[in-house]
Amino acid sequence: MARLALLSVSDKTGLIDFARSLVEEFGFEIVSSGGTAQAIQAAGIPVTKVADYTGSPEILGGRVKTLHPRIHGGILARRDVPQDVTDLEANDIRPFDLVAVNLYPFEQMIAKPDVTLAEAVEQIDIGGPAMIRAAAKNFAHLTVLCEPAMYATYLQELRQQGEVSFEFRAACAQKAFWHTSNYDRAIAAYLGSRESVGARSSTPVQGSREELPQQFAISGERVQSLRYGENPHQPAAWYQTGTSATGWAAATKLQGKELSYNNLVDLEAARRIITEFTDVPAATIIKHTNPCGTALGTTISEAYEKAFNADSVSAFGGIVALNRAIDVATATALTKTFLECVVAPECEPEAREILASKSKVRVLTLPNVETLHETSLHTIKAIAGGFLVQASDDLVADTKQWQMVTEKQPTPEQLEELLFAWKVCKHVKSNAIVVTRDRATLGVGAGQMNRVGSVQIALEQAGEKAQGAVLASDGFFPFDDSVKTAAAAGITAIVQPGGSLRDADSVKAANELGIVMVLTGVRHFLH
């Protein structure tokens, strides 16, 4: 008797060629449902519709079509169990050799900005997961394929051996369970999220709060194995969440070596900074997740030059993110020093030719890199026995909510500079101090055990350029010593969260020294 295949797919990529090979090369008979049957029939390939095979019509607008004993009996039957064989014969059920099923595009549906809850619910597949799980459970006797990319390997197994190996069937089963697990996770996360009912603003503002769900699951598909992790003795791999390429998985590498673990970590840090600036050309250079230079300019080349000159020593071997297309002038500047990676929304053809002279530099284009927020709604850290989850620090700074606490008030120009410094400081490891002028960083103090040390590092780096500059601190000043140190170096304005029991001391020192102090009411610790 001919082998029997059940085909029921939403993603019809490669379906017709696969079905034709099954029938013409290996003599399969095909049972299929809905649109899959129509597509196969339209291609002139013999197919039996599920309704004809089961004797039961599709009902409820197609919601019920494969949930039938002739389908699931044929999938779950164990051919080495006499009772199962007897049941098949008594009920005129044929065993399936192949089940090729993929699921309704739920994640693609909920990715649409205007999707309704009702529309999302209609994309929750019922029969598909049931068939996949049944076939995966019975992998000892049949093969389950849950994505088009698996068709070619299955056919290769048949061509080489005349049958499918146990090892291949087992591997397909494991993949199938991951597939349905991820599908269920996406549904549960969507239904459990406040976004599904429009409760969370797409642009969180200062003071907003979000309650995290009772259950939180993460899963991913490996994009590639990496040479190693942070150090050569640590194995590492890159995984993407979801069924479609988003975030860094959607980037195009134009040239250069393979991306490393550290490259990707630093690229993400650079991306997060660049999302702070959309209305004006901006550039940032990252070393070990901290910005050694960030700047705005009238052109992207000017922004990069300012960022580079902020700390040209540390920029060596850095990671560069730009929020505008790489043009000729910028490409020329980029080739003047050694860089690990460069990412931008686009790269002009002439610029690409210039960058090719530095063939080892990894050059990536990532559309909307400057506005890509949706891939980072949460940050996750592993701890012993579990993990921690928090909403990403994506509050939008609002200067109207800042407190101008000193006698000397900031000018409009100073307020703009303070806002720039504050946005950069948010992305520097605590304790964080950032000194800026003319929308460019001059000094950055990062990751020190005390704030005084960070102040000293940032001011020392800024040097004489600190005259007339502003200073941002990610946390409050518990003492007035840092205020006095900043004023002595020429700082004219300070922005900090406030909230210390000794805020009054810092404000008093600022008044005595004739400098501006602004309190944001929000801190941005980054550990």
Side-chain angles (χ1 to χ4, degrees), residues 26-108:
F26 303 105
F28 272 81
E29 293 180 12
I30 295 177
V31 176
S32 192
S33 63
T36 307
Q38 293 175 12
I40 294 172
Q41 190 173 51
I45 302 169
V47 60
T48 300
K49 293 183 178 180
V50 164
D52 296 332
Y53 181 74
T54 62
S56 298
E58 295 184 8
I59 61 173
L60 306 181
R63 278 192 165 196
V64 177
K65 45 184 180 281
T66 59
L67 298 170
H68 192 279
R70 289 205 80 194
I71 297 297
H72 284 272
I75 295 173
L76 285 165
R78 296 159 293 182
R79 301 176 197 186
D80 57 353
V81 176
Q83 184 61 54
D84 285 10
V85 175
T86 299
D87 287 343
L88 291 180
E89 292 173 350
N91 292 281
D92 191 26
I93 297 174
R94 291 175 59 187
F96 287 101
D97 290 273
L98 169 67
V99 172
V101 175
N102 55 60
L103 308 176
Y104 294 167
F106 179 81
E107 288 188 280
Q108 289 88 327

Side-chain angles (χ1 to χ4, degrees), residues 283-285 292-296 302-312 315 440-441:
T284 188
I285 306 174
C292 57
T294 301
L296 310 182
E302 180 189 15
Y304 171 71
E305 290 284 6
K306 288 170 67 176
F308 177 79
N309 290 331
D311 186 354
S312 59
T441 56

Side-chain angles (χ1 to χ4, degrees), residues 301-325:
S301 61
E302 180 189 15
Y304 171 71
E305 290 284 6
K306 288 170 67 176
F308 177 79
N309 290 331
D311 186 354
S312 59
V313 174
S314 297
F316 184 86
I319 307 288
V320 176
L322 310 169
N323 71 348
R324 296 290 188 273

Side-chain angles (χ1 to χ4, degrees), residues 393-414:
D393 188 3
D394 53 2
L395 293 184
V396 177
D398 183 0
T399 57
K400 294 179 181 178
Q401 297 188 38
W402 291 3
Q403 297 179 54
M404 316 304 169
V405 293
T406 48
E407 296 168 0
K408 192 169 186 178
Q409 298 289 289
T411 65
E413 170 63 22
Q414 280 181 320

Side-chain angles (χ1 to χ4, degrees), residues 190-255:
Y190 173 76
L191 294 177
S193 69
R194 297 178 68 189
E195 292 92 339
S196 65
V197 291
R200 188 177 189 269
S201 168
S202 59
T203 54
V205 294
Q206 189 166 305
S208 67
R209 294 182 63 86
E210 175 191 4
E211 184 176 351
L212 295 174
Q214 185 66 31
Q215 294 84 26
F216 194 98
I218 55 175
S219 63
E221 184 78 13
R222 190 174 66 192
V223 175
Q224 70 181 69
S225 295
L226 303 173
R227 288 180 60 199
Y228 52 79
E230 286 182 299
N231 299 289
H233 62 275
Q234 296 173 266
W238 172 14
Y239 295 82
Q240 77 173 49
T241 55
T243 56
S244 57
T246 58
W248 289 107
T252 300
K253 186 162 71 72
L254 303 181
Q255 68 172 57

Side-chain angles (χ1 to χ4, degrees), residues 451-480:
R451 196 160 301 279
V452 174
S454 289
V455 170
Q456 292 172 341
I457 290 171
L459 291 174
E460 181 180 352
Q461 190 179 60
E464 295 181 358
K465 294 179 181 179
Q467 292 290 330
V470 307
L471 181 148
S473 171
D474 68 338
F476 58 65
F477 290 125
F479 303 102
D480 61 8

